[in-house]
C-alpha cells in the first residue's frame, strides 16, 4: 500500500473532486483518499447536506496530515440552472498549473421512486429531475473539469461510480438502471475521444449505506428478498473496502480507459 | 424475458407464422418523430398494413412536414384515420397534452390493438466532443427529448389505452450506438443506452406487454447527412461517407416495412 504522497497517480499536488461526499461511498472515498493525497493537494467534496459534508471533512482531517486542503460545496443537482454557480464554487481559486494530477469522481446518485415500475413513470417533470441529477450533472461537471484542467501537464482521471444495474435490468429500478447505462456509454465515448484522460466506470457492489437500506425497505418483495440473499452470502460490504478497491484500481493503473470494472472483478471491458 | 433487439440488416423476409397480423386488427397506432425520416416511413408502412377503421396518430415538430406525412399515409389507405399532432417532446409539458388532446378524438375501446412507436429523437450536436457538452440547458433539453419523453409517453399511452383492454405493442427505435461507443456521439450513445435499458426493465416487469427495441440500421436520412457533414471527428465523417458511397445506407421505407412486418410476427 502506498504511503501518502508517494503514488504517481495521486501523489503530491493532486486536485480531487468527489460528488456525493456527505455520506456512504462518497465519504469512504474521501477518507481513503485522504491517506493517499500528497502535499499541495486539494479535496473538494460536494453534496446536499452541509452537516454530512462537515462530518466527512472531520474524518478526512483526522486521518491526514495538514497539507490537504478540504473544500465543501453544497448543492442539489435537480435544477440545471444552478449548475454554473455550483461548478464555479467547485473550481474556485483553482490554478491548474499548481496541480500535477486532477481527478473527478462522479459518485453522487439517487435511486428514484422504487415503488414505480417503468410503465408507471408518467410524470415528465419527475423524470427530468431524475436525469438531471443522475446524468446531466455528471456530463456538465465533467465538461467544466476538462475546461479547467485543459492543456498539457496535468494527469487527468475521471471516475464514474456505476453499478451492476448499468448492465442487468432490475425490476423497480428502471430509472437507476437507465441512468447508469447512459453514464457507462457516455464515459466510454469520452475514453475514445480523449486518450490522454484515464476514464473508469466502477461498480462498487452492494454496501452498507443509506442507499442500500432504501433498496432493502422499498416494499417490493422480490427486491427485498434479493437483499436478504446477498446478506446471507456475506456480499454486503463496508463502503470503506469498496473505496479501497477503487483506489487500488486507480493506482495500479492497468485498466483500459473507458472500462467498466466492479469490486468483484466480474466485468472487464 | 429480455427485449428482442432486431437489426434491419439481419432480418429475413417471410410471410409465414403470422401471430398478430395487422391487416386483421383495428389498430390504434401512435408514432413519434413522424414529420420526416424513419418516423414518416413507419407511419406510411403502418397505413399500408393496418385494418380498415384503424387510426394512426403522428406526432412531430414540423407542421408542414406532418401534413406531408398525413398525405402519404392517407394515400396508402383511405379507410383509416390519420391524426397529426404538433409538439416538441424536448419540452416536459408536451407529453401530458398529447393524450389530453387525443381523449376527445379517440376511444380506445374501438380498437383491438394499440401500438406505440417511440421514434422521436435527435443525434445531438456532433460537432462537440464529450467535454464540450457544458451547457446544462442543452443537455436537459436533449435528455428530455431522447429519454424522458419516451418513458413518460409510454406510461401515458398505456394508461390511455387501458380501458380498451387491448393487446399492446411498444417499440423503442434504437441503434448500434446504444452498445457501440462512437466518437462525437456521446449524448446519442448515452440516450439510446438509457432507453434500451429502460425498456428491458419494462419487459421484465410487464410480461403481458409486447416490447421491441428495433434497430433500423444506418438509414439514408437527414440525420445521417448531418453527421456526415458536421461531426467533429474526420473518421466518423468518413465512415458515413463510405456507407453512402458503398450503397450501404438503408432506405427508411424498406426498414420501416421490416419493422411493421416484425412487429406482427414477434410474440
Amino acid at each position: 500500500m502506498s504511503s501518502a504522497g508517494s503514488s504517481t497517480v495521486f501523489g503530491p499536488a493532486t486536485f480531487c473532486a468527489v460528488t456525493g461526499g456527505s455520506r456512504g461511498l462518497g465519504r469512504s472515498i474521501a477518507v481513503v483518499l485522504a491517506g493517499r493525497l500528497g502535499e499541495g493537494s486539494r479535496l473538494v467534496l460536494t453534496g446536499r447536506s452541509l452537516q454530512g459534508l462537515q462530518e466527512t471533512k472531520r474524518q478526512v482531517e483526522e486521518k491526514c496530515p495538514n497539507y490537504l486542503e478540504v473544500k465543501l460545496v453544497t448543492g442539489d443537482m435537480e435544477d440545471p440552472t444552478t449548475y454554473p454557480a455550483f461548478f464555479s464554487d467547485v473550481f474556485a481559486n483553482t490554478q491548474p498549473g499548481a496541480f500535477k494530477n486532477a481527478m473527478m469522481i462522479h459518485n453522487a446518485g439517487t435511486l428514484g421512486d422504487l415503488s414505480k415500475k417503468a410503465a408507471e413513470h408518467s410524470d415528465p417533470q419527475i423524470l427530468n429531475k431524475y436525469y438531471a441529477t443522475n446524468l446531466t450533472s455528471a456530463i456538465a461537471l465533467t465538461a467544466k473539469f476538462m475546461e479547467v484542467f485543459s492543456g498539457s501537464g496535468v494527469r487527468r482521471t475521471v471516475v464514474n461510480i456505476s453499478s451492476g444495474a448499468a448492465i442487468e435490468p432490475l425490476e423497480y429500478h428502471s430509472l437507476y438502471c437507465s441512468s447508469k447505462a447512459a453514464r457507462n456509454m457516455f464515459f466510454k465515448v469520452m475514453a475514445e475521444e480523449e486518450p490522454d484522460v484515464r476514464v473508469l466506470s466502477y461498480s462498487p457492489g452492494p454496501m452498507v449505506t443509506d442507499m442500500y437500506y432504501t433498496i432493502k425497505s422499498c416494499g417490493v418483495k422480490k427486491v427485498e428478498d434479493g437483499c436478504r440473499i446477498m446478506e446471507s452470502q456475506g456480499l454486503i460490504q463496508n463502503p470503506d473496502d469498496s473505496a479501497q478497491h477503487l483506489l487500488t484500481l486507480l493506482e495500479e493503473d492497468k485498466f483500459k480507459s473507458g472500462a467498466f470494472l466492479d469490486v468483484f472483478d466480474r466485468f472487464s471491458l | 424475458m429480455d427485449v428482442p433487439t432486431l437489426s434491419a440488416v439481419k432480418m429475413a423476409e417471410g410471410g409465414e407464422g403470422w401471430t398478430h397480423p395487422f391487416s386483421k386488427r383495428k389498430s390504434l397506432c401512435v408514432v413519434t418523430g413522424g414529420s420526416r425520416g424513419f418516423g414518416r416511413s413507419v407511419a406510411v408502412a403502418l397505413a399500408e398494413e393496418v385494418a380498415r377503421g384503424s387510426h394512426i396518430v403522428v406526432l412531430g415538430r414540423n407542421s408542414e412536414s406532418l401534413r406531408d406525412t398525413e398525405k402519404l399515409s392517407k394515400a396508402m389507405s383511405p379507410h383509416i384515420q390519420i391524426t397529426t399532432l404538433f409538439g416538441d417532446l424536448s419540452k416536459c409539458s408536451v407529453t401530458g397534452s398529447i393524450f389530453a388532446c387525443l381523449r376527445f378524438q379517440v376511444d380506445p375501446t374501438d380498437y383491438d390493438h394499440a401500438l406505440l412507436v417511440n421514434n422521436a429523437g435527435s443525434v445531438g450536436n456532433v460537432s462537440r466532443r464529450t467535454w464540450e457538452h457544458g451547457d446544462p440547458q442543452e443537455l436537459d433539453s436533449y435528455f428530455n427529448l431522447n429519454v424522458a419523453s419516451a418513458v413518460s409517453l409510454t406510461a401515458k399511452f398505456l394508461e390511455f389505452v387501458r380501458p380498451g383492454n387491448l393487446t399492446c405493442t411498444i417499440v423503442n427505435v434504437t441503434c448500434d450506438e446504444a452498445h457501440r461507443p462512437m466518437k462525437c456521439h456521446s449524448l446519442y450513445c448515452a440516450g439510446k443506452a438509457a432507453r434500451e435499458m429502460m425498456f428491458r426493465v419494462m419487459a421484465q416487469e410487464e410480461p403481458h406487454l409486447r416490447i421491441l427495441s428495433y434497430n433500423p440500421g444506418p438509414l439514408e436520412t437527414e440525420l445521417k447527412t448531418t453527421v456526415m457533414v458536421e461531426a467533429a471527428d474526420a473518421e466518423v465523417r468518413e465512415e458515413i461517407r463510405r456507407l453512402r458511397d458503398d450503397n450501404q445506407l438503408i432506405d427508411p421505407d424498406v426498414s420501416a416495412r421490416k419493422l411493421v412486418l416484425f412487429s406482427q410476427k414477434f410474440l
Side-chain angles (χ1 to χ4, degrees):
Chain A
M1 171 158 147
S2 306
S3 54
S6 67
S7 160
T8 50
V9 174
F10 306 109
T14 298
F15 174 98
C16 185
V18 182
T19 65
S22 56
R23 52 179 173 161
L25 181 67
R27 174 176 290 169
S28 296
I29 290 173
V31 173
V32 175
L33 267 174
R36 306 280 247 277
L37 297 176
E39 179 129 16
S41 292
R42 180 188 299 174
L43 180 62
V44 180
L45 303 173
T46 79
R48 285 179 292 184
S49 156
L50 180 59
Q51 206 174 1
L53 288 174
Q54 283 166 340
E55 171 56 24
T56 303
K57 182 174 178 178
R58 192 196 63 74
Q59 291 185 25
V60 163
E61 285 173 343
E62 203 171 62
K63 181 150 182 212
C64 75
N66 297 333
Y67 55 67
L68 177 62
E69 183 194 340
V70 183
K71 183 174 175 179
L72 307 179
V73 181
T74 49
D76 188 324
M77 299 286 92
E78 268 188 4
D79 179 4
T81 59
T82 63
Y83 294 177
F86 177 77
F87 297 166
S88 276
D89 275 349
V90 171
F91 297 104
N93 303 318
T94 300
Q95 302 301 322
F99 299 101
K100 287 206 165 60
N101 299 298
M103 211 176 329
M104 181 69 243
I105 301 182
H106 294 294
N107 165 73
T110 59
L111 290 165
D113 185 348
L114 296 181
S115 70
K116 283 202 160 76
K117 295 200 265 184
E120 292 166 335
H121 284 300
S122 60
D123 187 337
Q125 307 269 17
I126 293 178
L127 292 168
N128 174 252
K129 286 193 175 129
Y130 184 83
Y131 289 113
T133 302
N134 290 277
L135 181 57
T136 299
S137 64
I139 294 175
L141 183 53
T142 300
K144 189 68 188 174
F145 170 78
M146 293 289 284
E147 182 196 325
V148 169
F149 291 103
S150 64
S152 57
V154 183
R155 187 184 192 284
R156 295 164 296 178
T157 304
V158 176
V159 177
N160 161 37
I161 296 299
S162 184
S163 166
I167 310 284
E168 290 299 326
L170 194 58
E171 284 177 56
Y172 292 90
H173 287 67
S174 55
L175 297 187
Y176 188 67
C177 287
S178 60
S179 73
K180 291 303 193 192
R183 283 161 67 124
N184 269 24
M185 277 309 297
F186 179 83
F187 288 107
K188 277 195 200 304
V189 176
M190 182 173 182
E192 296 240 334
E193 289 181 352
E194 305 297 328
D196 294 339
V197 181
R198 300 291 285 142
V199 181
L200 175 64
S201 286
Y202 175 67
S203 168
M207 301 167 285
V208 182
T209 59
D210 287 347
M211 185 176 267
Y212 174 72
Y213 287 118
T214 305
I215 296 172
K216 192 176 166 189
S217 56
C218 67
V220 178
K221 189 173 182 308
K222 215 167 181 174
V223 175
E224 290 178 3
D225 287 348
C227 291
R228 265 190 283 278
I229 291 170
M230 284 194 297
E231 277 175 25
S232 68
Q233 292 171 351
L235 291 175
I236 317 296
Q237 311 161 81
N238 185 319
D240 293 344
D241 294 335
S242 191
Q244 188 64 64
H245 190 87
L246 167 61
L247 261 57
T248 304
L249 287 172
L250 291 174
E251 226 162 17
E252 285 176 353
D253 202 26
K254 290 188 201 147
F255 59 91
K256 176 170 182 273
S257 193
F260 171 67
L261 298 177
D262 87 330
V263 69
F264 303 124
D265 291 330
R266 285 171 309 178
F267 308 106
S268 55
L269 299 162
Chain B
M1 173 190 156
D2 210 349
V3 180
T5 308
L6 176 73
S7 176
V9 298
K10 292 178 197 152
M11 194 190 154
E13 302 255 18
E16 297 186 60
W18 297 99
T19 55
H20 277 80
F22 283 7
S23 55
K24 296 200 181 353
R25 313 183 120 236
K26 267 181 78 181
S27 298
L28 170 61
C29 309
V30 176
V31 181
T32 67
S35 358
R36 53 181 183 159
F38 188 62
R40 171 182 288 178
S41 299
V42 171
V44 172
L46 281 169
E48 202 180 1
E49 280 298 310
V50 293
R52 179 185 283 260
S54 293
H55 192 154
I56 301 176
V57 178
V58 185
L59 186 71
R61 281 191 284 192
N62 184 313
S63 318
E64 205 178 301
S65 304
L66 274 178
R67 274 196 288 276
D68 290 339
T69 301
E70 186 180 357
K71 255 191 250 160
L72 288 165
S73 305
K74 276 202 164 122
M76 278 296 167
S77 170
H79 306 295
I80 64 175
Q81 207 176 332
I82 314 282
T83 298
T84 56
L85 288 178
F86 171 80
D88 183 349
L89 290 172
S90 68
K91 298 180 172 46
C92 281
S93 52
V94 171
T95 37
S97 58
I98 292 166
F99 291 101
C101 181
L102 282 179
R103 230 169 276 283
F104 296 108
Q105 306 172 49
V106 179
D107 180 352
T109 61
D110 287 343
Y111 306 93
D112 308 314
H113 172 239
L115 168 74
L116 170 64
V117 181
N118 285 301
N119 166 73
S122 61
V123 76
N125 189 336
V126 293
S127 67
R128 297 221 184 141
R129 305 283 186 176
T130 45
W131 57 271
E132 290 170 310
H133 287 297
D135 183 341
Q137 248 90 307
E138 221 174 78
L139 292 169
D140 197 49
S141 185
Y142 185 85
F143 291 115
N144 262 348
L145 168 62
N146 289 276
V147 185
S149 76
V151 180
S152 65
L153 206 67
T154 300
K156 286 190 191 294
F157 174 77
L158 290 169
E159 196 183 343
F160 180 74
V161 301
R162 196 167 295 129
N165 205 26
L166 322 174
T167 50
C168 286
T169 305
I170 308 292
V171 175
N172 164 40
V173 177
T174 186
C175 58
D176 281 346
E177 286 83 350
H179 305 281
R180 181 174 74 115
M182 190 171 182
K183 287 189 207 175
C184 308
H185 288 69
S186 53
L187 300 191
Y188 192 56
C189 289
K192 290 301 192 190
R195 284 163 68 119
E196 267 204 31
M197 176 56 85
M198 176 60 73
F199 287 102
R200 284 177 70 191
V201 175
M202 196 183 294
Q204 255 188 249
E205 292 171 340
E206 313 286 349
H208 62 287
L209 285 183
R210 303 162 76 244
I211 299 177
L212 167 64
S213 272
Y214 178 74
N215 176 357
L219 299 175
E220 205 170 351
T221 57
E222 270 177 60
L223 193 147
K224 273 289 183 276
T225 308
T226 305
V227 176
M228 191 174 70
V229 170
E230 295 180 11
D233 188 272
E235 271 176 33
V236 169
R237 295 195 303 270
E238 189 43 43
E239 184 183 325
I240 312 244
R241 198 167 290 128
R242 222 181 7 251
L243 285 172
R244 185 198 58 179
D245 294 345
D246 294 346
N247 287 321
Q248 291 199 8
L249 290 181
I250 299 171
D251 180 340
D253 291 340
V254 170
S255 190
R257 283 197 289 271
K258 291 200 176 196
L259 166 58
V260 171
L261 196 86
F262 190 67
S263 307
Q264 297 175 73
K265 294 173 78 169
F266 159 62
L267 249 177

